[in-house]
Amino acid sequence: MRDMIAYCGLDCERCDAYLATIHDDHALREKTAKLWAELNHAPILPEHINCKGCRADGVKTVFCESLCRIRQCALKKGVTTCGDCLDLETCQSIGEILSNNPDALENLRE
């Protein structure tokens, strides 16, 4: 399991918030903030787009740090990722991610 695979199986190294953070790319922060604000109907600003990865030490977006139900559940259960959870196949919290992103499930099974 690669360290930059999130609890849900998404690849943090492909996330625009992660890329903007490690490359200090303000234009990507602005683009990501605009898109995420539209998609989530929330006031997301470029300064909110800083993240070093869901399972890594360091800064995280507000969502990843405190609002993500999947991350909170994994931390509570003490699993490395949801791939280690016995409830993976029936979990409603992760179901939408896995149905929309087959790579996430593959990442969890590695």
Side-chain angles (χ1 to χ4, degrees), residues 30-42:
E30 288 179 346
K31 176 184 165 191
T32 303
K34 182 179 179 189
L35 175 63
W36 288 7
E38 290 170 4
L39 291 173
N40 294 290
H41 307 288

Side-chain angles (χ1 to χ4, degrees), residues 1-12 53-55 70 80-82 107-108:
M1 172 71 56
R2 297 186 331 257
D3 288 341
M4 295 308 295
I5 298 301
Y7 291 103
C8 65
L10 293 176
D11 187 344
C12 291
C54 173
R55 296 188 306 125
I70 295 167
T80 303
T81 69
C82 294
N107 289 336
L108 293 174

Side-chain angles (χ1 to χ4, degrees), residues 83-103:
D84 297 326
C85 181
L86 298 174
D87 300 323
L88 175 64
E89 300 297 328
T90 59
C91 179
Q92 292 181 347
S93 293
I94 197 170
E96 188 173 333
I97 288 176
L98 299 181
S99 66
N100 290 322
N101 191 326
D103 290 340

Side-chain angles (χ1 to χ4, degrees), residues 43-88:
I44 300 173
L45 303 173
E47 54 265 28
H48 299 148
I49 307 300
N50 287 292
C51 192
K52 291 202 175 177
C54 173
R55 296 188 306 125
D57 290 335
V59 68
K60 292 168 190 28
T61 64
V62 171
F63 178 82
C64 294
E65 178 69 37
S66 56
L67 300 175
C68 178
R69 294 178 299 163
I70 295 167
R71 182 174 185 273
Q72 296 305 316
C73 179
L75 290 170
K76 184 173 135 185
K77 289 184 175 185
V79 296
T80 303
T81 69
C82 294
D84 297 326
C85 181
L86 298 174
D87 300 323
L88 175 64

